[in-house]
Amino acid sequence: MSLRFILLLCVIPGLGFAQLPKIPGSIGGINTSVLAKEAKGLLINQLDKSKAEYDTTSFNYAISLSDNAGLYENEEKWLRNQKLFSDVLKQSDGSSLTPLQQAEQNDEVGEMMYASSKFQTAENAFLSSKAIYETHALTSEASYSKVIANLGLLYHTMGRYSKSEEFEKSAIEIRKTQGGETSIAYAASINNLGVLYKDMGRYTEAEKMLEKSVQLNSINPGKQSAAYAITLNNQAMLYEETGRFQQAEQLLAEAIRIASMVLTEKSTNYQRLLINQALLFEEMGEYTKADEIYKKAIAIKEKKLGSNHPDYAHLLNLQAELYMQMKKTTEVEALLKKAADIYLKKFGANHPSYAGVLQNLGTYYRTQDQQTPAYTNLNKALAIRIAALGENHPDVLQTKESIALLDWQAKKYPEAAAGFKVVLDQDMILINEYFAALSDAEKARFWDKIHPHFEHYTSFVTDAYSSIPALSGQLYTYQLATKALLLNASNKTRQQILSSGDPALIKEYQSWLDAKENLSRLYSMSKAELADQKINLDSIERATNAKEKNLSASSNAFKSGYTNTAVNWKDVQLALSTEDAAVEIIQLIKFNKVKTDTVRYAALVLTKEMSMPELILLKDGNLLEKRYRAYYTNCIKSKVADEQSYKQYWEEIDKKTGTKKNIFVSQDGVYSQLNISTFRLPDGSYLLDKKNIQLVSNSKDIIKLKAAAAPSTSLTAVVVGNPTFGMEGTIAPLPATKVEIESIKIQLVAKGYKVTTYVQAEATEQNIRKVSNPKILHIATHGFFIKEAQAEEDKTMGVGSEHSALNPMLRSGLLLANAEAAVDGKAEYGVLTAYEVMNLNLDKTEIVVMSACETGLGDVKNGEGVYGLQRAFLVAGADALIMSLWKVNDEATQKLMSSFYKNYLLLNNKEKAFKAAQSELKLLYKDPYYWGAFVLIQ
């Protein structure tokens, strides 16, 4: 279940912020006017009364939530108080209010606008308040830090993370200076930055900040305070996101216990914490517990607002989603119909909320194979959403995809194909426009949201291909655009720009990032919301595009890192010769009304002569990933003849490639864990003997490989090996690598290379980090990969288990000098993780060779390849790398490496040199255990 994390602004009673009058000025396009003093006093009293209407925890404190329950209640408060806020903002020419009073009053209205989700107007109010503080030299006032903190929270909620971090850090420094680290305000800002870092995916920093906030709040205002409850909740949400469910459950239970006393059960935010708990139990598979909480929350909501309130309907919707997971389908329909009736009576038949329930009803009927009511509800939902939200809104795309799924289910293949294409083409626009500007964590979340569209389409094509053969070309093009999508270097480009030392470039780049983050939020707003907040989307898009053009013109790093060229299957075909074939492997999950546990594999085969890519379906994916892979591994390690792997994994593909000699393979799933060249043919020979298998991350890389770029003229190499791991002997030394390193150095120097060697105590993490674009980087040391299930110790290779479990790039890497101390957590350096490798400067490096054992291992991600050292070195810029899939003895490794460099220096062609080295080693050792341990990928 995907979680929907919401951010709220929340003030803790007792922070001591005064409620003072508002400012004059131009806020949100409202012109000032003069009112009598009596009217001003009346308005101020009304403002205080209005603020009391909001939850006492509605401002200034970030709360991490899994759902936006209570949305409509806040909207009603806004509608009741909208005229009041407008009047307050118009009410003074400043003649009787001090600048401080003006600034504080404006900030206060901004808070209530924020609580009502009127973000654009809230921003104008906050910025105007900030300007008055600064214009009148009032920045030493305690209340100045509040408007700075409010801006940080506002930008966080708007998804403008870069700008949010700037203001959050500023608020921390101001509050530290003004009130010290024991002040409640300082703890609030520490909390807010922690929640921001969680949402940015910077989990290590988030945990430190939230832990500090919990400690501070436990002292002041104390463990029985709303502030303490909220920071416990936020810590629980971090633990949930990082997979530490038991700790999250304990913290959330304590947060709710405290909140029930200090907020009361009627508090909207107390109820939201309950929903957090229910969704946590759903994530843990504790459905009965989740249901009990939903029933409690529904009872509270009914008592407070009645059974005809839209927030009550929202909880019914959540309960229906739970019952779908619990297979209690007989109760789902009644809940959704009741919710739909509430929305219809409250908002009418053209409201997005009503459309949302119709969408859920349509999906429910589709999964129950009730096609007529499914079409009725989905088509109604689509019409409402298009009218209210616009053609390309994410909710509209959701409904269009649901209709495409229904068409597929009804075997209306042409209609389904057209529907899927509309959805996926719009997804591609979002990818091309916004993906590169996101951080790694944001990219992963974004891809998690839209990836199911592509998964569904792939499964659909395997069903409909025989009826519509042209679908294979469309599927191939989507694969080219999305396979290994997360394998990109845009974050490296970000670091290059931010460390460039060019203030103007950095400022322009940060402004562009902020604009992109802002646009990504605006695209999820309805037409009414955009109009209500006077947001001109076209104007903002034009301004953002202008920033992008300026950056591309002024920065080569930006241009190369963020420019994306679309490639289709015909472009790949054009690059192939008559001797070539391209094979795109796709792992897919069978979809039968809902996602199943059945794994399948498909292969798209393309040659120069084909009019369209040909699709091969391998239905026994579960066997390929388990039984047959175990058989392959056992044959390799036991050095016995493999009679099955060629037949199961490759025979059907081989028939399609025919007599082609050069086979470019883009692997996926289990194929990433096999060396295809080691497959034994029925005649006793191996694929190595018959074909030139060349591995690529994505088939579009063939175009670059075929471009035949001139080889680097810079003859430089860095060779690392035989590290001094420590004195304890807990990590086995590698004396044999000393011989390997010396042999390679002799070969390279003889051909004119300038070789830098790091061995023993100099084979350090710091020295590898300093490497800059050698033509060859050779590393001979232990590699490691820790499976997720094994990451249970407090530290795994010196990295906290909670972080390594979450991020597979922290669970693989290289052991270097001083590794024993680093693994024990006693030293900072000694273990180079794949996460750190990604930022190495290898943009002009032709080849990285890792002669350590199992350096090719990592987490296999559907559509993304192997998350580990393989991904890391490619992101860092290396053209190609050689790595190992299993352990092999030192003598065989040395011979392979020596042969590879001999041939590489002679041929200046890494692919031919690597195959020659394998063939030579095969003459000495006939078993693929020896000569097939290493693979080359580009």
Side-chain angles (χ1 to χ4, degrees):
M1 183 187 71
S2 62
L3 294 178
R4 298 147 287 180
F5 288 98
I6 309 296
L7 180 75
L8 289 186
L9 214 64
C10 158
V11 79
I12 304 305
L15 281 181
F17 296 129
Q19 294 182 356
L20 292 173
K22 270 297 177 248
I23 77 160
S26 177
I27 311 297
I30 302 171
N31 295 320
T32 58
S33 62
V34 180
L35 297 177
K37 291 182 180 180
E38 293 81 6
K40 293 176 190 174
L42 178 62
L43 284 170
I44 292 166
N45 290 334
Q46 287 177 324
L47 182 63
D48 286 345
K49 188 184 293 184
S50 167
K51 189 166 184 179
E53 242 194 278
Y54 286 85
D55 198 305
T56 55
T57 52
S58 291
F59 317 105
N60 305 110
Y61 222 92
I63 313 177
S64 185
L65 301 172
S66 300
D67 182 79
N68 202 14
L71 172 69
Y72 302 105
E73 189 180 353
N74 276 349
E75 179 68 17
E76 289 171 349
K77 291 171 186 173
W78 162 255
L79 293 173
R80 284 196 296 271
N81 295 301
Q82 183 176 15
K83 185 176 185 302
L84 169 65
F85 296 160
S86 178
D87 288 345
V88 169
L89 292 170
K90 295 176 181 178
Q91 56 103 27
S92 175
D93 62 356
S95 59
S96 63
L97 295 179
T98 68
L100 179 59
Q101 288 173 325
Q102 296 169 18
E104 289 178 326
Q105 182 175 300
N106 212 52
D107 179 50
E108 215 166 88
V109 168
E111 289 177 343
M112 284 182 276
M113 288 175 171
Y114 177 97
S116 303
S117 301
K118 308 303 175 185
F119 300 138
Q120 197 68 41
T121 318
E123 181 183 17
N124 291 335
F126 289 145
L127 289 175
S128 182
S129 176
K130 176 177 177 286
I132 292 171
Y133 278 111
E134 293 170 355
T135 300
H136 294 276
L138 297 171
T139 55
S140 61
E141 294 290 335
S143 52
Y144 173 68
S145 71
K146 187 156 76 90
V147 75
I148 298 301
N150 283 345
L151 280 163
L153 283 162
L154 173 67
Y155 290 134
H156 182 174
T157 308
M158 295 172 75
R160 297 164 68 178
Y161 292 155
S162 302
K163 210 163 186 65
S164 175
E165 184 178 11
E166 173 190 336
F167 279 95
E168 297 287 16
K169 286 182 173 179
S170 178
I172 287 172
E173 289 305 312
I174 294 168
R175 288 175 164 178
K176 183 178 180 180
T177 301
Q178 290 181 341
E181 293 191 9
T182 58
S183 70
I184 299 174
Y186 176 78
S189 284
I190 293 293
N191 167 82
N192 298 349
L193 187 60
V195 177
L196 174 66
Y197 284 153
K198 176 189 76 69
D199 291 344
M200 294 175 74
R202 293 161 63 175
Y203 299 117
T204 303
E205 295 161 280
E207 183 160 13
K208 288 178 182 177
M209 287 291 169
L210 291 175
E211 180 61 38
K212 185 175 182 179
S213 181
V214 168
Q215 290 173 352
L216 292 171
N217 282 323
S218 70
I219 300 169
N220 184 22
K223 290 187 176 181
Q224 301 304 312
S225 66
Y228 186 69
I230 287 167
T231 49
L232 288 180
N233 167 80
N234 294 343
Q235 206 172 31
M237 292 295 95
L238 172 67
Y239 288 159
E240 178 178 18
E241 195 162 334
T242 53
R244 290 176 281 172
F245 297 131
Q246 304 263 330
Q247 291 166 280
E249 181 183 357
Q250 293 169 4
L251 288 171
L252 199 47
E254 178 64 8
I256 290 171
R257 185 192 68 78
I258 297 168
S260 68
M261 296 185 293
V262 297
L263 298 180
T264 76
E265 288 191 347
K266 290 184 178 180
S267 161
T268 300
N269 285 332
Y270 169 75
Q271 294 164 42
R272 283 168 160 158
L273 297 188
L274 283 182
I275 300 304
N276 273 359
Q277 191 177 43
L279 290 169
L280 171 63
F281 282 133
E282 276 193 65
E283 185 80 353
M284 296 170 68
E286 300 277 358
Y287 297 140
T288 302
K289 289 182 180 179
D291 190 25
E292 289 171 1
I293 296 169
Y294 279 133
K295 288 176 180 176
K296 179 179 179 181
I298 288 169
I300 293 171
K301 190 70 72 175
E302 183 176 14
K303 185 177 179 180
K304 180 181 180 182
L305 301 172
S307 60
N308 293 311
H309 194 277
D311 281 337
Y312 177 79
H314 179 74
L315 293 182
L316 297 181
N317 222 341
L318 289 178
Q319 192 176 38
E321 290 181 11
L322 172 66
Y323 286 170
M324 282 293 287
Q325 295 189 72
M326 296 175 72
K327 312 298 184 191
K328 296 171 69 172
T329 53
T330 54
E331 299 180 52
V332 171
E333 184 178 11
L335 287 169
L336 291 176
K337 281 186 172 181
K338 187 174 181 180
D341 187 57
I342 294 170
Y343 285 132
L344 181 62
K345 290 177 180 177
K346 177 71 177 178
F347 300 125
N350 298 312
H351 195 274
S353 297
Y354 178 58
V357 183
L358 294 180
Q359 161 74 36
N360 290 345
L361 267 169
T363 299
Y364 163 75
Y365 288 130
R366 180 184 61 75
T367 60
Q368 301 307 301
D369 213 18
Q370 299 180 42
Q371 294 179 11
T372 299
Y375 274 118
T376 299
N377 282 277
L378 290 174
N379 283 323
K380 280 184 182 177
L382 182 62
I384 297 167
R385 283 180 159 178
I386 289 174
L389 306 174
E391 194 75 41
N392 296 321
H393 190 278
D395 288 349
V396 173
L397 295 180
Q398 178 197 33
T399 307
K400 287 182 177 180
E401 201 223 12
S402 294
I403 293 172
L405 291 171
L406 183 55
D407 285 334
W408 170 20
Q409 203 166 308
K411 300 194 182 303
K412 298 178 180 178
Y413 291 154
E415 292 88 343
F420 276 121
K421 188 175 187 303
V422 169
V423 174
L424 268 56
D425 285 350
Q426 184 59 33
D427 285 338
M428 288 310 309
I429 290 172
L430 293 175
I431 289 171
N432 293 331
E433 288 293 322
Y434 300 103
F435 193 76
L438 302 176
S439 68
D440 272 350
E442 291 163 343
K443 285 185 176 81
R445 285 178 184 153
F446 174 81
W447 185 231
D448 282 345
K449 287 180 181 178
I450 69 169
H451 186 230
H453 299 169
F454 293 91
E455 282 188 324
H456 296 160
Y457 180 72
T458 303
S459 188
F460 161 70
V461 171
T462 61
D463 272 2
Y465 170 66
S466 58
S467 301
I468 314 174
L471 290 175
S472 65
Q474 191 67 58
L475 176 60
Y476 203 120
T477 295
Y478 287 134
Q479 280 293 116
L480 295 173
T482 61
K483 193 170 190 178
L485 184 65
L486 299 177
L487 178 66
N488 65 81
S490 58
N491 273 3
K492 183 178 175 181
T493 302
R494 182 187 302 225
Q495 293 303 317
Q496 289 174 339
I497 292 173
L498 293 178
S499 61
S500 66
D502 184 338
L505 174 63
I506 293 170
K507 183 178 180 180
E508 191 173 9
Y509 177 70
Q510 289 176 326
S511 175
W512 173 77
L513 281 178
D514 180 56
K516 283 287 192 180
E517 289 170 347
N518 187 34
L519 269 174
S520 67
R521 182 190 69 87
L522 297 181
Y523 281 128
S524 67
M525 293 174 67
S526 69
K527 292 177 181 179
E529 288 170 329
L530 292 170
D532 181 50
Q533 299 190 44
K534 298 180 174 63
I535 297 171
N536 187 328
L537 199 56
D538 290 341
S539 175
I540 296 171
E541 284 177 333
R542 285 194 297 271
T544 305
N545 290 337
K547 292 177 190 290
E548 194 162 321
K549 288 179 182 177
N550 290 337
L551 279 167
S552 292
S554 59
S555 169
N556 287 330
F558 181 89
K559 186 175 181 179
S560 61
Y562 290 103
T563 301
N564 186 33
T565 303
V567 175
N568 63 42
W569 69 268
K570 292 182 180 179
D571 297 319
V572 175
Q573 186 180 51
L574 194 63
L576 297 175
S577 76
T578 55
E579 292 294 307
D580 300 334
V583 178
E584 184 74 29
I585 304 291
I586 308 171
Q587 181 200 50
L588 61 109
I589 307 299
K590 184 180 179 183
F591 192 87
N592 182 19
K593 300 175 190 171
V594 294
K595 190 174 181 178
T596 70
D597 295 328
T598 301
V599 178
R600 290 178 168 181
Y601 279 83
L604 288 166
V605 178
L606 183 64
T607 67
K608 194 77 171 177
E609 300 78 17
M610 289 179 178
S611 59
M612 193 71 64
E614 296 194 21
L615 187 145
I616 300 165
L617 182 62
L618 305 173
K619 293 184 177 181
D620 296 329
N622 298 84
L623 293 176
L624 292 177
E625 293 186 345
K626 294 176 182 177
R627 181 193 299 176
Y628 296 133
R629 184 189 169 222
Y631 174 83
Y632 171 84
T633 301
N634 183 62
C635 289
I636 288 289
K637 292 184 176 180
S638 302
K639 306 181 188 66
V640 298
D642 184 340
E643 306 289 351
Q644 288 294 323
S645 295
Y646 170 77
K647 179 182 178 181
Q648 300 299 337
Y649 291 103
W650 200 252
E651 186 174 39
E652 293 304 312
I653 297 172
D654 209 12
K655 290 175 183 176
K656 292 291 184 184
T657 61
T659 60
K660 305 298 184 185
K661 290 292 185 184
N662 306 311
I663 314 297
F664 295 92
V665 183
S666 175
Q667 299 169 297
D668 197 8
V670 69
Y671 282 79
S672 302
Q673 301 169 308
L674 312 169
N675 185 345
I676 296 168
S677 293
T678 63
F679 291 164
R680 186 174 181 273
L681 278 64
D683 64 4
S685 64
Y686 294 90
L687 270 180
L688 178 75
D689 306 318
K690 309 285 186 177
K691 308 280 186 178
N692 298 321
I693 304 291
Q694 297 188 44
L695 304 181
V696 292
S697 295
N698 185 311
S699 292
K700 67 183 178 183
D701 295 335
I702 298 169
I703 299 171
K704 183 177 70 172
L705 293 175
K706 289 287 190 170
S712 172
T713 57
S714 174
L715 301 182
T716 59
V718 174
V719 185
V720 182
N722 191 26
T724 303
F725 297 121
M727 304 302 294
E728 299 297 322
T730 55
I731 299 175
L734 295 170
T737 63
K738 180 181 178 182
V739 177
E740 180 183 323
I741 294 297
E742 290 174 351
S743 171
I744 291 167
K745 182 177 180 180
I746 291 170
Q747 287 177 285
L748 293 172
V749 169
K751 290 292 185 177
Y753 274 75
K754 180 182 178 182
V755 180
T756 302
T757 305
Y758 297 119
V759 296
Q760 296 182 325
E762 290 187 341
T764 64
E765 179 182 345
Q766 298 95 312
N767 280 333
I768 292 186
R769 285 174 182 248
K770 290 188 294 186
V771 165
S772 180
N773 290 315
K775 182 176 181 179
I776 298 170
L777 173 61
H778 185 102
I779 302 173
T781 186
H782 287 301
F784 70 86
F785 169 64
I786 301 167
K787 294 181 180 178
E788 187 170 1
Q790 296 173 328
E792 297 175 353
E793 302 287 330
D794 287 341
K795 294 279 185 179
T796 54
M797 294 300 174
V799 179
S801 61
E802 66 276 8
H803 309 304
S804 61
L806 181 74
N807 189 341
M809 301 299 280
L810 294 172
R811 288 188 274 112
S812 61
L814 298 166
L815 302 182
L816 296 160
N818 204 36
E820 290 182 348
V823 167
D824 290 338
K826 298 175 182 177
E828 184 177 356
Y829 298 106
V831 175
L832 185 69
T833 65
Y835 186 84
E836 293 164 326
V837 167
M838 288 192 295
N839 287 315
L840 295 182
N841 191 8
L842 302 177
D843 294 306
K844 297 179 182 177
T845 298
E846 287 194 6
I847 189 151
V848 172
V849 180
M850 293 181 288
S851 64
C853 58
E854 298 182 306
T855 45
L857 298 185
D859 274 0
V860 178
K861 301 288 185 180
N862 180 13
E864 283 296 319
V866 178
Y867 269 55
L869 287 167
Q870 169 182 329
R871 179 180 192 266
F873 277 108
L874 292 174
V875 168
D879 286 344
L881 62 149
I882 292 174
M883 57 195 180
S884 63
L885 298 178
W886 58 79
K887 295 178 181 179
V888 68
N889 68 31
D890 293 336
E891 182 181 358
T893 299
Q894 289 174 20
K895 289 183 182 297
L896 180 73
M897 293 301 153
S898 178
S899 177
F900 167 73
Y901 281 107
K902 176 192 71 176
N903 287 290
Y904 180 59
L905 295 172
L906 179 66
L907 302 171
N908 203 22
N909 182 302
K910 46 189 172 286
E911 298 91 354
K912 292 180 179 178
F914 182 67
K915 179 164 186 182
Q918 285 184 310
S919 299
E920 289 177 16
L921 192 63
K922 185 169 171 286
L923 295 175
L924 298 174
Y925 306 96
K926 67 181 180 67
D927 292 311
Y929 165 80
Y930 297 101
W931 55 262
F934 287 85
V935 293
L936 183 148
I937 187 166
Q938 303 178 81

